[in-house]
Amino acid sequence: MHSRPSLATIALLLGLVALTSSAPAATMAPFTPPGGLGMDSIPVYAPMSEFDFQSLNLALNQEWIELDLFHHGLAQFSVEEFEAAGLDAEDRFLIQYMAEQELGHATALMNMLGPSAAKPCKYIYPFTDVRSFVDFCQKLTRFGESGVYGFLEHLDSRAAANILLQSITTEARQQMIFRQFEGLFPMPEWFVPSITQSMAWTLLSPFLQHCPSENPRIEWQLFPPLTVTNNPTPNQENLSPGISNNVTALSFPGRELLLSWGSPGKVTGYDGRYTTNTTAGRAHFVGWISQLNNITYTPLTNVIGSRGRTIQPGGNIFGNGTAPVINGTMYLVITDAEVFVTPANISMLNPHIVAGPAVYQSG
């Protein structure tokens, strides 16, 4: 079990009033209807279970890479390169300010996790120019956002969840800004999907190269990787940065996707300390995690070894033509069964995942 800071220490670190054993019990405010969780108790801004610790530990690793990523991109590319991509000094300042936001988010999580909180790692990035840097930023902030949505309501510490909620709402705005920097429609979805901690860790792990030996081990499952070899890309559209752009989709129903995936038991993760794992059976379906998370499944066809194909489905949210189910920056998984899950129980999908998720840039 990891060491936890005291309640009084947590209160002081977060700038809250220090709590003592003699503090009076909280009472319900006037005109407050009965019900609600934690309404009449003293909040504890710290993990209250190993589930809490490991969830917040994963979130902290996500915040650290975002902090490094924003600084790295600003340092790697010249002013001329940014301006050739349509991003001026004010835009670069906004990226710098987003890095400062990440420092604040990481500090809050460190304070909640205490002495055993993870330290920054050394990272490896897949981009080679400003446009691919911005595209990677919007994908990374999206799965960081979705990863928190997946566990936020399940934390035992409701107070810690409240602090994390305040940070993740900022990250959601960052994701939208990076879409604007790409020239994409800023928010093509009605609902942002949630993913599990294991899905988020699977997406994050390839970019962590080396971490301090004292960092807590990330205990979530690492699924075999999934790749969409013909993933749509905003760079194909010759778009320019803007507040909004009438490019609401990069893909379409009926589009054939080419998929490839890895095998379980492969050494992966930072410093070769992890291995991929699956408890699923044979690959039969592709699950599309998008919008309200009532997952849409399509058959996995033409399977040869660890390659296959599927067809992008159609459909709209609540039958409304302005909200396709498949849109935005979303996720694909390969499964052994068509498992019905919703945002509140999406972790029930984990035992059935053969590979994935992959980020699918559908809109």
Side-chain angles (χ1 to χ4, degrees), residues 163-181:
I163 295 294
L164 192 54
L165 176 64
Q166 290 178 278
S167 70
I168 209 63
T169 52
T170 299
E171 189 158 322
R173 293 180 174 120
Q174 292 176 350
Q175 199 272 342
M176 189 182 78
I177 286 169
F178 284 118
R179 288 185 65 87
Q180 291 173 313
F181 282 172

Side-chain angles (χ1 to χ4, degrees), residues 7-342:
L7 178 56
T9 300
I10 289 295
L12 288 170
L13 286 170
L14 291 175
L16 304 170
V17 176
L19 303 172
T20 67
S21 58
S22 61
T27 57
M28 294 294 290
F31 306 104
T32 302
L37 297 176
M39 298 294 291
D40 57 353
S41 61
I42 296 173
V44 178
Y45 292 93
M48 298 179 68
S49 63
E50 195 64 15
F51 180 92
D52 283 8
F53 184 91
Q54 283 295 335
S55 298
L56 297 174
N57 178 45
L58 178 61
L60 177 56
N61 277 275
Q62 179 79 27
E63 302 295 358
W64 281 136
I65 191 175
E66 289 165 357
L67 170 61
D68 184 86
L69 169 64
F70 301 161
H71 280 154
H72 182 86
L74 289 171
Q76 178 172 344
F77 303 112
S78 66
V79 169
E80 291 75 19
E81 288 174 296
F82 271 103
E83 291 185 346
L87 300 176
D88 59 20
E90 285 78 11
D91 300 321
R92 296 192 297 277
F93 176 78
L94 180 53
I95 296 173
Q96 171 60 38
Y97 187 74
M98 287 193 280
E100 294 169 12
Q101 291 174 328
E102 296 308 324
L103 179 60
H105 299 168
T107 301
L109 284 165
M110 289 179 66
N111 291 345
M112 289 192 286
L113 289 168
S116 55
K119 298 177 177 64
C121 299
K122 181 180 179 181
Y123 307 101
I124 183 168
Y125 298 120
F127 49 80
T128 56
D129 55 32
V130 171
R131 291 187 66 85
S132 56
F133 159 64
V134 171
D135 186 60
F136 181 70
C137 286
Q138 76 90 1
K139 288 183 170 72
L140 186 81
T141 51
R142 171 45 55 87
F143 69 70
E145 177 190 5
S146 293
V148 169
Y149 294 155
F151 70 75
L152 194 63
E153 293 305 311
H154 298 293
L155 291 176
D156 293 294
S157 174
R158 305 313 302 154
N162 197 195
I163 295 294
L164 192 54
L165 176 64
Q166 290 178 278
S167 70
I168 209 63
T169 52
T170 299
E171 189 158 322
R173 293 180 174 120
Q174 292 176 350
Q175 199 272 342
M176 189 182 78
I177 286 169
F178 284 118
R179 288 185 65 87
Q180 291 173 313
F181 282 172
E182 286 192 273
L184 293 171
F185 192 71
M187 44 182 178
E189 62 281 303
W190 282 11
F191 301 90
V192 175
S194 58
I195 58 176
T196 67
Q197 296 98 323
S198 294
M199 296 179 197
W201 176 221
T202 299
L203 290 169
L204 175 63
S205 64
F207 310 113
L208 275 61
Q209 186 175 37
H210 168 72
C211 293
S213 59
E214 64 269 27
N215 276 15
R217 181 177 174 85
I218 298 172
E219 297 292 350
W220 303 106
Q221 185 175 6
L222 264 177
F223 299 114
L226 172 63
T227 301
V228 183
T229 58
N230 61 337
N231 213 328
T233 170
N235 294 342
Q236 296 172 342
E237 303 294 327
N238 195 27
L239 304 173
S240 299
I243 293 175
S244 188
N245 220 322
N246 194 23
V247 180
T248 56
L250 298 173
S251 64
F252 52 88
R255 182 177 189 266
E256 184 177 59
L257 276 67
L258 309 179
L259 307 173
S260 64
W261 57 94
S263 303
K266 299 294 185 182
V267 175
T268 186
Y270 63 84
D271 301 315
R273 294 179 57 189
Y274 300 84
T275 56
T276 56
N277 181 275
T278 177
T279 59
R282 293 182 59 186
H284 285 296
F285 301 97
V286 176
W288 302 71
I289 304 175
S290 180
Q291 298 276 15
L292 281 172
N293 275 25
N294 293 325
I295 295 182
T296 302
Y297 291 95
T298 53
L300 180 65
T301 62
N302 299 98
V303 178
I304 302 176
S306 59
R307 294 181 180 273
R309 303 184 179 203
T310 198
I311 301 297
Q312 179 173 323
N316 301 297
I317 296 294
F318 302 132
N320 189 297
T322 66
V325 172
I326 309 303
N327 207 353
T329 305
M330 49 163 296
Y331 313 95
L332 302 179
V333 290
I334 293 179
T335 69
D336 63 358
E338 296 179 277
V339 184
F340 178 79
V341 293
T342 67

